[in-house]
């Protein structure tokens, strides 16, 4: 349904003392490609700053891409304008990490949920109250919520409102940008159950952005691992997380405590800081932190190649298998 190919996003950055230096170009996304099938949940994982959110924002044209294409049911999101773009946007929605920051504090929930229907001309104003009540029920909130303001809700309830708002226009794909990261663990589980149910009842596809591998394993069927603007590994969620092939995915896995309290927690911390996109390492971006780095890794960018059915890895080690 969504096919993203060679996505490039650059940002101009002025460096030097008091930002007086020359303008540099930072490559936030460097040839990102993936696709999402109808009803599928694809996880996008990696440390903060690797380009996960930028990927979502660029596909949605919240920020303009500098290269590549994004086809949605064959229609190019990057070439669409005017009414065509508006129609496409209705089909792809985003839910943010911090629902409080994305809800207008002075607006009642009923008005917040009516707004997208007004913008997209969905149904008539007379039908909105019924639709809003149905949406609230669908996300597990009482009908009285329409009269209330965001501050009257808990974090988990606010995230349910954020999800309801995304659903008002009947999307087919949701970008979920760290949707449960700001919530307590018990509340996280409830919101994940809700999202999972919506995926089933609405056959809703999603791109689930997260740094929490446990949550990704629960929610996603497939996973892409990103490192400094590139996808370094892709595969089915369970296979990729149980048996990671890329040294970066292996390090991420090792840095995640195992959920079983009887098992020894292997907190092999990830060595070094993620390199800066301002000055990315040559060749394989991961080479300064990689325990297997070879001479070749400093010079040559490893391409994302299929190494087994459904599994792709960008690492020179794969040539030696
Ligand atoms: Fe490590 Fe080289 Fe593979 Fe990069 S290409 S992950 S540096 S072995
Ligand atoms: Mg982010």
């Amino acid at each position: 349904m969504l096919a993203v190919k060679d996505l490039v996003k650059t940002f101009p950055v002025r460096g030097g003392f008091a930002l007086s230096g020359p303008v540099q170009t930072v490559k936030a996304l460097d040839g990102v490609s993936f696709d999402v099938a109808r009803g599928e949940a694809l996880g996008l994982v990696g440390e903060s700053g690797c380009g996960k959110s930028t990927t979502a924002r660029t596909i949605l044209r919240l920020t303009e891409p500098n290269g590549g294409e994004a086809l949605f049911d064959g229609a190019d999101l990057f070439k669409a304008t005017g009414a065509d773009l508006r129609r496409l946007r209705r089909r792809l929605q985003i839910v943010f990490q911090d629902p409080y920051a994305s809800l207008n504090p002075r607006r009642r929930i009923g008005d917040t949920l009516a707004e997208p229907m007004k913008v997209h001309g969905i149904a008539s104003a007379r039908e909105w109250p019924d639709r809003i009540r149905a949406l609230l029920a669908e996300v597990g909130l009482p009908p009285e919520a329409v009269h209330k303001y965001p501050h009257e809700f808990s974090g988990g309830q606010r995230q349910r409102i954020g999800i309801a708002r995304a659903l008002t226009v009947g999307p087919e794909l949701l970008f979920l940008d760290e949707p449960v990261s700001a919530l307590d663990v018990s509340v996280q589980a409830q919101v994940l159950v809700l999202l999972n149910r919506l995926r089933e009842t609405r056959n809703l596809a999603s791109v689930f952005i997260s740094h929490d591998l446990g949550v990704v394993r629960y929610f996603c069927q497939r996973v892409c691992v990103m490192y400094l603007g590139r996808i370094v590994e892709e595969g089915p969620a369970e296979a990729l997380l149980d048996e990671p092939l890329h040294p970066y995915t292996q390090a991420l896995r090792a840095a995640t405590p195992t959920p079983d309290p009887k098992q020894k927690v292997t907190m092999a911390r990830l060595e070094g800081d993620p390199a800066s996109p301002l000055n990315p390492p040559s060749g394989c971006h991961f080479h300064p932190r990689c325990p297997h780095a070879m001479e070749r890794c400093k010079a040559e960018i490893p391409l994302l190649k299929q190494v087994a059915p459904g599994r792709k890895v960008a690492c020179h080690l794969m040539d030696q298998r």
Side-chain angles (χ1 to χ4, degrees):
M1 176 167 60
L2 175 67
V4 177
K5 207 161 167 255
D6 291 329
L7 194 57
V8 174
K9 175 64 192 172
T10 59
F11 291 107
V13 173
R14 194 181 279 278
F17 177 67
L19 302 180
S20 60
V23 177
Q24 260 182 290
T25 302
V26 171
K27 244 184 187 176
L29 300 177
D30 187 8
V32 168
S33 304
F34 61 86
D35 39 47
V36 186
R38 208 166 286 283
E40 178 184 43
L42 175 78
L44 217 50
V45 307
E47 290 159 294
S48 65
C50 68
K52 308 186 295 279
S53 299
T54 306
T55 299
R57 295 177 53 81
T58 308
I59 295 167
L60 289 166
R61 299 266 302 268
L62 298 174
T63 178
E64 287 300 315
N66 299 96
E69 61 175 24
L71 303 179
F72 191 73
D73 268 345
D76 194 336
L77 283 158
F78 296 167
K79 294 211 179 99
T81 54
D84 287 342
L85 181 59
R86 229 178 5 258
R87 258 194 306 276
L88 278 166
R89 272 201 173 131
R90 215 178 119 168
R91 303 170 65 188
L92 297 95
Q93 292 289 305
I94 185 164
V95 174
F96 298 99
Q97 172 177 2
D98 182 356
Y100 202 48
S102 67
L103 295 172
N104 185 335
R106 284 184 293 274
R107 195 176 257 180
R108 291 178 204 271
I109 300 311
D111 295 329
T112 288
L113 296 181
E115 175 75 18
M117 293 196 264
K118 197 187 289 177
V119 169
H120 288 280
I122 291 170
S124 66
R126 254 189 309 127
E127 295 168 74
W128 294 342
D130 279 346
R131 284 182 172 243
I132 289 168
R133 263 191 293 278
L135 278 168
L136 287 171
E138 193 176 358
V139 299
L141 289 172
E144 308 84 76
V146 288
H147 306 297
K148 295 189 179 167
Y149 292 92
H151 75 264
E152 298 177 76
F153 296 93
S154 68
Q157 288 172 323
R158 282 199 288 262
Q159 194 53 296
R160 288 172 193 270
I161 295 165
I163 294 165
R165 181 179 51 185
L167 295 178
T168 51
V169 295
E172 293 153 65
L173 187 147
L174 288 185
F175 285 91
L176 301 163
D177 192 354
E178 304 269 9
V180 298
S181 308
L183 306 174
D184 293 338
V185 173
S186 61
V187 181
Q188 279 192 4
Q190 295 164 12
V191 173
L192 285 170
V193 166
L194 166 65
L195 288 169
N196 227 351
R197 200 178 60 226
L198 293 172
R199 188 171 64 74
E200 281 166 15
T201 55
R202 289 179 171 248
N203 196 24
L204 196 57
S206 54
V207 175
F208 187 92
I209 295 169
S210 178
H211 59 267
D212 185 329
L213 301 186
V215 165
V216 166
R217 197 181 197 287
Y218 167 79
F219 190 73
C220 302
Q221 287 86 57
R222 226 152 37 84
V223 176
C224 287
V225 181
M226 287 186 78
Y227 192 78
L228 279 188
R230 296 177 188 157
I231 290 177
V232 297
E233 181 161 6
E234 179 194 320
E238 281 184 17
L240 183 145
L241 293 173
D242 289 347
E243 232 187 294
L245 295 173
H246 193 284
Y248 175 60
T249 318
Q250 289 168 352
L252 270 186
R253 250 310 306 257
T256 304
T258 57
D260 181 357
K262 275 177 291 197
Q263 254 185 305
K264 216 168 76 219
V265 175
T266 49
M267 280 288 275
R269 300 230 93 235
L270 218 55
E271 293 281 324
D273 294 328
S276 157
L278 248 178
N279 195 8
S282 60
C284 172
H285 285 342
F286 189 56
H287 84 250
R289 301 167 87 187
C290 180
H292 309 287
M294 309 164 276
E295 267 317 303
R296 181 185 176 194
C297 304
K298 295 180 196 165
E300 210 183 307
I301 300 173
L303 301 175
L304 191 64
K305 284 190 253 183
Q306 175 141 350
V307 296
R311 298 203 63 174
K312 291 182 189 168
V313 181
C315 171
H316 294 311
L317 285 176
M318 294 300 121
D319 294 346
Q320 298 168 6
R321 295 206 319 162

